[in-house]
């Protein structure tokens, strides 16, 4: 692990704050090197990332930055789960921290937000990293109702985590779920407040939609960009099936696809080290 990351691992990284656009954004930073900014999932805050994944990225030479969305966790401002409005957070954070040549990443709902950010303010962004998310436009495979029924449970336990982020049919995936959950629980101080359940329930809907992400302008940018895009997925993602990305082969000219076996919506938590190494290799080989 590099010198900075050895002082501040994901478990011990201090909360930091920056004033921008009339609100305070809370963030954490580990490692040093090329900036990699990560936008979190539905009901996510800085504490839902697996420390093994974040530390793995720091080991690979990235400065890894996670943050809480406006109005959620430790950040102030008005909360929203509209990707077009959420995109303002990573855009403003990159500007406030004076970051350039950024690998901008997003998991799930965060993946939609970073696609918007990439489309409207891509000058600071060198690579787009998408994890367990959906492309814009019509889908060839819809989500499963099971996700919507499970994601709104207020205090879900390991069983629900297996359903939401792993592959319950796989013993290896269930084991990985338990190990990841234990790592995430290692941070005991300075944790972010959880996303209010009423806010989450009001912003998820009651079942699958097609498209989930109706953003024609964003799709057109992805079709014409020369900047590299990586989607990291699991072969059984119950909310954002990877089949929808494979349907865009030969449509998105810079799209790279990595799909892990017997994995679900959180492949980077089931395969934290492999995910970090694949991301680093992708960035190095396409820079």
């Amino acid at each position: 692990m590099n010198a900075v990351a050895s002082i501040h691992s994901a478990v011990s990284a201090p909360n930091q704050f920056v004033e921008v656009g009339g609100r305070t954004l809370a963030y954490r930073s580990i490692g040093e090197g090329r900036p990699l900014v990560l936008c979190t999932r539905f009901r996510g805050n800085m504490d839902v990332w697996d420390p093994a994944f974040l530390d793995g990225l720091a080991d690979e030479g990235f400065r890894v930055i996670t943050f809480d969305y406006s109005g959620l966790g430790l950040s102030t401002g008005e909360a929203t789960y509209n990707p077009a409005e959420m995109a303002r957070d990573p855009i403003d954070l990159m500007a406030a921290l004076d970051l350039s040549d950024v690998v901008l990443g997003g998991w799930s709902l965060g993946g939609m937000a970073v696609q918007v950010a990439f489309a409207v303010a891509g000058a600071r962004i060198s690579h787009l990293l998408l994890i367990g998310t959906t492309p814009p436009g019509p889908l060839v495979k819809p989500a499963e109702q099971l996700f919507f029924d499970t994601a709104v449970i207020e205090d879900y336990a390991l069983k629900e985590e297996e359903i939401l982020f792993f592959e319950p049919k796989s013993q290896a995936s269930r084991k990985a779920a338990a190990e990841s959950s234990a790592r995430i629980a290692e941070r005991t101080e300075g944790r972010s407040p959880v996303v209010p359940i009423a806010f989450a329930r009001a912003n998820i809907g009651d079942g699958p939609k097609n498209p989930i992400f109706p953003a024609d302008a964003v799709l057109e940018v992805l079709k014409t960009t020369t900047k590299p895009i990586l989607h990291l997925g699991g072969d059984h993602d119950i909310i954002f099936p990877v089949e929808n990305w494979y349907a865009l082969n030969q449509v998105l000219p810079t799209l790279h696809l990595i799909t892990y076996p017997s994995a679900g919506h959180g492949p980077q938590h089931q395969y934290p080290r492999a995910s970090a190494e694949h991301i680093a290799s992708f960035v190095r080989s396409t820079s």
Side-chain angles (χ1 to χ4, degrees):
M1 186 175 291
N2 62 48
V4 173
S6 66
I7 297 172
H8 296 309
S9 68
V11 170
S12 63
N15 297 323
Q16 301 183 68
F17 302 89
V18 64
E19 302 289 332
V20 60
R23 83 272 198 210
T24 301
L25 291 178
Y27 72 97
R28 296 176 190 152
S29 177
I30 64 170
E32 58 183 359
R34 189 176 199 144
L36 194 163
V37 177
L38 291 171
C39 299
T40 193
R41 61 168 170 83
F42 175 76
R43 291 185 67 179
N45 58 23
M46 291 186 287
D47 292 314
V48 304
W49 294 100
D50 190 323
F53 173 60
L54 301 183
D55 289 344
L57 290 169
D59 287 347
E60 293 289 341
F62 292 105
R63 178 190 177 190
V64 185
I65 299 168
T66 56
F67 69 95
D68 286 338
Y69 294 122
S70 292
L72 300 173
L74 294 169
S75 293
T76 67
E78 185 175 352
T80 178
Y81 269 166
N82 179 336
E85 298 174 10
M86 294 168 69
R88 189 168 65 99
D89 284 344
I91 291 171
D92 285 356
L93 184 62
M94 288 187 293
L97 300 181
D98 194 24
L99 302 178
S100 59
D101 208 24
V102 177
V103 179
L104 182 61
W107 176 21
S108 188
L109 176 62
M112 289 187 269
V114 300
Q115 289 177 68
V116 176
F118 182 75
V120 302
R124 293 181 183 271
I125 303 165
S126 67
H127 294 72
L128 188 61
L129 168 63
L130 305 171
I131 304 172
T133 191
T134 185
L139 307 174
V140 299
K141 184 175 182 180
E144 298 178 26
Q145 183 64 41
L146 179 61
F147 179 88
F148 295 87
D149 296 341
T150 308
V152 295
I153 295 173
E154 183 167 5
D155 296 310
Y156 49 69
L158 182 58
K159 177 182 177 182
E160 285 73 37
E161 291 181 16
E162 292 172 357
I163 292 170
L164 291 171
F165 310 119
F166 296 84
E167 174 51 275
K169 294 183 291 185
S170 164
Q171 181 179 355
S173 187
R174 295 195 305 273
K175 180 175 182 291
E179 293 170 347
S180 178
S181 182
R183 290 190 297 264
I184 291 171
E186 287 176 6
R187 186 180 181 102
T188 57
E189 297 182 358
R191 293 181 66 90
S192 287
V194 300
V195 172
I197 188 60
F199 172 80
R201 287 172 175 165
N203 283 276
I204 190 174
D206 56 6
K209 296 185 295 184
N210 191 356
I212 292 177
F213 183 29
D216 292 344
V218 173
L219 183 58
E220 288 306 310
V221 171
L222 300 185
K223 287 180 178 180
T224 58
T225 185
T226 59
K227 294 183 179 181
I229 302 169
L230 171 65
H231 183 267
L232 204 69
D235 62 358
H236 185 200
D237 188 327
I238 64 173
I239 178 61
F240 296 138
V242 293
E243 288 85 347
N244 294 306
W245 288 103
Y246 283 95
L248 293 172
N249 280 340
Q250 300 185 8
V251 175
L252 305 187
T254 65
L255 176 65
H256 298 232
L257 297 172
I258 296 176
T259 303
Y260 291 109
S262 299
H265 186 48
Q268 80 282 13
H269 289 190
Q270 182 166 337
Y271 297 95
R273 178 60 61 177
S275 295
E277 292 178 355
H278 278 131
I279 291 165
S281 177
F282 159 73
V283 173
R284 285 193 297 265
S285 65
T286 56
S287 293

